[in-house]
Amino acid sequence: MQRLLIILLLAFGINTAMAHYSLFTVVGDVKVESAGKTVKAAKGQTVKATDYIIIPQGGKVEVLNDLDKRVYTSIKPGKISVTKLMIEARGVAADNGANVASRMNLGRKSQKGTEKVYVEKGMVRRSLATYDPEGDQMEMNAETLGRYVASRISAGTLSSGEEAPVPVESKRLAEGGLGFKMENNLQFPIYFNIIKIRKGSKDDVNISPLGQPAGSYVVLPQQTLSREHFPALDEDEEQILIMTNCQYDVDKVIEEIVKALNDPDLSSSNDSSLPVYIHKI
Amino acid sequence: MRQLPPPENDNSRKRKALLLIFGKASGITGLAFLLSFLISSPFAATISALFSSTEKSDFVMSDLFYQIADNRPVRTFDDRMVILDIGNSNRQEIAELLSVVSLCGPKAVAIDVNFELPGENDSLLLESLSSLPSLVLPLGVREEGERFVIADKPFFYDDLKDVNYGVINFPTDHPGATVREYAKAFPMKEGGRLLSFPEAAAKAGGYKVDLHEKSSGVPTGIIGYHSREIITIPYDELIDRAEELTDKIVLVGTTTEAGDVYSIPLRRGVSGLEIHAYSLSTILDGVELERMPGYIATIVAVVVCFLMVLGAIAIKSGMKGLVLRVAQIVTLYLLVRVGYSLFVDHDIVSDFSQAILMIAFGLFSVDLWNGTASLIDWIKKRITLYKEKRLELKRI
């Protein structure tokens, strides 16, 4: 009887150690250390309870436990075992006092500047069909576009010398601001947006004050579009105009640019056949 | 011989003073309640100033609980259902998708797309629909008196057999309001009841569902939005992820339709399909979130207000203002803390907003009461002085 009990306990222990855990979400350069080997973490990757997950600063990992059908999240940088990650997450989730206190607005103001959250996406689908019946059916792939822009940034080939297919003028304003004017002398609509990139940074890519956060600019044939931003712009930030022949989701493109800038493999591609023009204004 | 009343001892004096204070506090609390019926106050401004919350015009306290709970590092992965996002697929493409879905062995398929008018070449669509197991299709209803009539239905409503229908209407306080509840069943004008879309999907999936025959009106349930992970498969990944549909309730629809977005306690811009998914997940849990009875919230409001008013009139020291403000913040924190614990640990949705309102009104009423009492005293003194002056003049 005792022997049977020991066998059952052993089997349970083995089963628990081999229980199905998988990486549900991976954000950032997360690594998994298993049996002495360290590999880059990937979504869907199976992990063992005894494996270690190495989370970088700003990274995030979510582990799906198939046994209890729960997703455990950790954003704490460092090395942590899968089991400990789940235990800690459970502990934090159960701490009602800390969870409530974390939402209180008592504390120092954020030292960062105004944080922009781009959640309003321009729903141009219906009206776009009126503007551009053909273009309504097309959307530039955000991943492809993002990687292409990232490759140009990495290669340092962003300059104002690139030949844009339409006349684009930009000028510095008296107060330090910036203005641009674009004239569409082509036979089809053009789509563009303007992002800003901090020089030397791989993460600081955002929508420019001259950009269009809801959707993208659409300029019809025989139309001119101009915009001016009077307050001084940060001289360490470059304002980059990205022009294509169909719409693109600037939020997703920005995400892909940042991803690609942080991964040399992704930003090495430079498909010059893409109908994309990048113009520094 | 006239007998003088015995001198009051200390205890008797203290008791009298205490009774006076309690009496005054009770009166002011009553005044505060009266004011709360006459003047509306944006209490949400108070709570959202102290607690981080998304800015919404119809914010209620329980929304904060949802947000705190959803922010926890543990979520439940719902493997009983899956959303298939058809994006902007046209009818032909939807028909093709559905024919693939039927091969994936789902338990039930609930389609949140209304094919209102016949189109060209609908034969593939009808064939695909017929091949789906335990199919649920949407209906829209319109209120007529206390009952409902069908307002939106597919063109094949009377033709397709063995189809379950579910009503997709959301119960909200007003058009555009946050969706916090799901309807269970709708009493129809022609008799009987129609299940709501998520209830119909649950029933089609083999789960026991109450038909709510004995309920009056439209019974509703509170949607448990927080800490849930529901898988969404984009239509272009269907073939690669076909096995994820096996033995599941599949909800088919689009999450990017501009006219089908709503606010939920967690965020804005959520599609109707996702709300149905959350509702279905809540139904399948079999554990209902219960609303705390209103009278308990009222009792808490009375007690909290009374204590705050008592402090305002009993504390004589110069630190009164500081003490009251600290007490206000601490009380606010405690109300949120208790409300949150009831929410996550006991599935009780409480609303202590009245208590928060009463704190503000209580302190306002103290000033009003004291100010009015002082004004009356001043008027009395003026009248007395005036009478004395007149008497003096008469004597002269």
Side-chain angles (χ1 to χ4, degrees):
Chain A
M1 182 66 184
Q2 229 178 3
R3 212 179 282 175
L4 182 64
L5 211 64
I6 292 167
I7 293 169
L8 277 170
L9 277 168
L10 266 170
F12 174 76
I14 292 166
N15 184 51
T16 311
M18 290 174 63
H20 255 174
Y21 308 110
S22 59
L23 299 183
F24 190 74
T25 304
V26 172
V27 174
D29 187 22
V30 179
K31 294 187 169 55
V32 173
E33 188 184 297
S34 178
K37 273 196 213 163
T38 304
V39 296
K40 196 174 156 76
K43 184 178 166 166
Q45 180 180 347
T46 306
V47 291
K48 295 197 287 291
T50 49
D51 288 344
Y52 284 88
I53 298 176
I54 303 159
I55 305 170
Q57 192 74 33
K60 176 171 127 175
V61 73
E62 291 183 337
V63 174
L64 169 60
N65 182 341
D66 248 349
L67 287 177
D68 65 4
K69 301 294 177 201
R70 287 206 150 83
V71 177
Y72 297 85
T73 306
S74 181
I75 55 169
K76 200 165 106 180
K79 187 170 155 179
I80 187 169
S81 70
V82 170
T83 310
K84 195 168 179 203
L85 186 153
M86 292 190 289
I87 292 170
E88 274 187 15
R90 203 184 289 186
V92 170
D95 191 348
N96 293 344
N99 289 329
V100 168
S102 69
R103 293 300 301 269
M104 287 187 75
N105 288 334
L106 291 177
R108 290 177 66 189
K109 271 190 178 176
S110 167
Q111 295 302 311
K112 290 188 195 172
T114 328
E115 289 195 24
K116 296 177 183 56
V117 180
Y118 310 116
V119 294
E120 297 294 335
K121 292 189 180 177
M123 298 300 293
V124 296
R125 287 193 183 86
R126 299 294 175 263
S127 46
L128 187 58
T130 309
Y131 250 42
D132 185 5
E134 280 179 27
D136 181 46
Q137 303 301 318
M138 293 194 295
E139 183 172 331
M140 178 71 70
N141 180 271
E143 201 176 287
T144 309
L145 181 57
R147 289 183 189 186
Y148 175 70
V149 174
S151 69
R152 292 284 300 270
I153 296 168
S154 299
T157 54
L158 284 177
S159 70
S160 47
E162 177 159 311
E163 279 287 332
V166 295
V168 178
E169 292 167 22
S170 60
K171 60 177 187 229
R172 278 276 162 198
L173 304 174
E175 298 94 322
L178 194 62
F180 73 89
K181 183 175 163 187
M182 177 187 295
E183 183 194 331
N184 186 2
N185 55 12
L186 299 175
Q187 301 307 309
F188 51 84
I190 49 175
Y191 298 78
F192 75 97
N193 219 320
I194 304 175
I195 62 172
K196 62 176 183 180
I197 300 167
R198 185 166 291 280
K199 293 175 197 169
S201 166
K202 287 189 174 184
D203 292 309
D204 204 344
V205 182
N206 269 308
I207 192 79
S208 165
L210 288 154
Q212 178 64 17
S216 50
Y217 289 112
V218 185
V219 187
L220 293 178
Q222 319 302 317
Q223 266 189 0
T224 300
L225 187 79
S226 65
R227 190 166 180 180
E228 288 170 327
H229 179 81
F230 294 102
L233 290 169
D234 191 337
E235 294 205 353
D236 287 332
E237 289 175 341
E238 292 177 320
Q239 314 297 322
I240 309 294
L241 186 150
I242 304 171
M243 188 192 307
T244 66
N245 63 347
C246 61
Q247 60 180 308
Y248 61 87
D249 187 328
V250 70
D251 298 314
K252 286 186 189 161
V253 168
I254 287 172
E255 267 177 46
E256 293 297 334
I257 292 172
V258 171
K259 233 191 265 181
L261 284 174
N262 282 297
D263 188 334
D265 293 330
L266 296 178
S267 59
S268 59
S269 65
N270 191 346
D271 185 356
S272 56
S273 66
L274 281 176
V276 176
Y277 293 94
I278 301 179
H279 188 90
K280 193 169 99 166
I281 59 168
Chain B
M1 193 170 148
R2 213 190 293 176
Q3 273 197 321
L4 291 170
E8 274 191 43
N9 61 19
D10 267 349
N11 280 343
S12 170
R13 249 200 306 268
K14 278 185 185 161
R15 219 178 300 133
K16 251 191 184 167
L18 214 63
L19 273 168
L20 245 159
I21 289 174
F22 266 80
K24 192 175 173 185
S26 303
I28 295 174
T29 304
L31 174 64
F33 260 83
L34 187 68
L35 282 171
S36 74
F37 289 116
L38 300 174
I39 309 167
S40 65
S41 173
F43 71 92
T46 317
I47 200 167
S48 65
L50 190 61
F51 289 91
S52 317
S53 73
T54 49
E55 291 295 318
K56 293 197 292 288
S57 58
D58 65 330
F59 172 80
V60 298
M61 201 166 179
S62 56
D63 290 357
L64 182 62
F65 303 151
Y66 277 108
Q67 290 160 24
I68 298 173
D70 197 56
N71 210 32
R72 294 176 299 175
V74 181
R75 302 196 300 288
T76 301
F77 178 77
D78 199 328
D79 64 346
R80 301 165 297 191
M81 71 173 83
V82 123
I83 293 175
L84 175 62
D85 188 351
I86 61 172
N88 287 331
S89 302
N90 60 35
R91 205 174 271 200
Q92 179 80 7
E93 288 160 342
I94 293 172
E96 285 164 10
L97 280 169
L98 293 177
S99 63
V100 173
V101 168
S102 67
L103 301 172
C104 300
K107 197 185 267 190
V109 179
I111 302 175
D112 187 21
V113 180
N114 189 25
F115 306 100
E116 200 171 349
L117 300 166
E120 287 179 20
N121 304 321
D122 277 335
S123 54
L124 177 61
L125 175 68
L126 293 171
E127 199 184 309
S128 301
L129 290 171
S130 304
S131 67
L132 292 168
S134 303
L135 176 63
V136 178
L137 290 172
L139 289 176
V141 297
R142 182 182 70 240
E143 206 168 349
E144 274 193 14
E146 286 180 3
R147 296 193 159 253
F148 294 83
V149 293
I150 295 172
D152 304 292
K153 61 184 180 184
F155 69 90
F156 47 77
Y157 179 65
D158 297 309
D159 304 325
L160 216 59
K161 303 295 172 211
D162 297 327
V163 174
N164 306 291
Y165 286 93
V167 177
I168 45 87
N169 296 57
F170 295 126
T172 53
D173 291 338
H174 54 83
T178 301
V179 180
R180 298 185 178 92
E181 295 179 331
Y182 66 92
K184 293 183 179 178
F186 291 80
M188 302 307 290
K189 200 166 184 182
E190 64 264 23
R193 286 182 164 261
L194 269 178
L195 287 175
S196 65
F197 189 76
E199 291 259 327
K203 190 177 172 209
Y207 294 88
K208 221 174 171 181
V209 154
D210 184 1
L211 288 170
H212 313 285
E213 300 279 3
K214 292 185 182 151
S215 308
S216 63
V218 179
T220 57
I222 302 172
I223 304 173
Y225 286 111
H226 54 292
S227 305
R228 287 181 198 273
E229 184 68 42
I230 298 172
I231 293 295
T232 300
I233 299 176
Y235 69 92
D236 54 353
E237 292 178 24
L238 175 59
I239 303 220
D240 292 332
R241 299 170 68 173
E243 71 282 358
E244 290 184 52
L245 272 63
T246 306
D247 210 29
K248 307 243 173 92
I249 299 174
V250 180
L251 294 172
V252 180
T254 178
T255 59
T256 52
E257 176 67 35
D260 188 33
V261 284
Y262 308 88
S263 289
I264 64 172
L266 297 180
R267 59 186 179 278
R268 293 179 296 173
V270 178
S271 67
L273 178 66
E274 287 166 289
I275 294 176
H276 288 311
Y278 281 118
S279 306
L280 177 59
S281 186
T282 308
I283 293 165
L284 297 182
D285 280 349
V287 176
E288 279 208 29
L289 280 163
E290 303 257 355
R291 210 170 282 287
M292 190 172 72
Y295 71 86
I296 295 180
T298 304
I299 290 170
V300 170
V302 169
V303 169
V304 163
C305 180
F306 181 80
L307 289 172
M308 201 62 67
V309 165
L310 198 63
I313 58 179
I315 299 173
K316 302 289 179 201
S317 84
M319 285 201 334
K320 179 166 97 169
L322 174 69
V323 169
L324 286 176
R325 290 304 162 206
V326 168
Q328 220 176 343
I329 291 174
V330 167
T331 307
L332 188 58
Y333 169 79
L334 286 173
L335 288 171
V336 173
R337 177 75 176 78
V338 167
Y340 176 69
S341 292
L342 287 172
F343 183 72
V344 291
D345 296 331
H346 304 285
D347 296 321
I348 294 172
V349 177
S350 57
D351 187 3
F352 294 123
S353 54
Q354 194 182 13
I356 296 165
L357 187 72
M358 291 315 301
I359 292 172
F361 272 124
L363 296 176
F364 175 68
S365 301
V366 166
D367 292 338
L368 207 64
W369 182 287
N370 287 339
T372 309
S374 300
L375 186 68
I376 292 170
D377 276 341
W378 180 82
I379 293 172
K380 274 185 184 168
K381 275 187 190 142
R382 285 271 167 256
I383 292 172
T384 310
L385 260 167
Y386 174 72
K387 280 182 180 170
E388 279 171 3
K389 267 197 181 146
R390 279 198 69 177
L391 269 167
E392 245 185 71
L393 282 169
K394 268 190 185 170
R395 263 191 239 123
I396 293 166

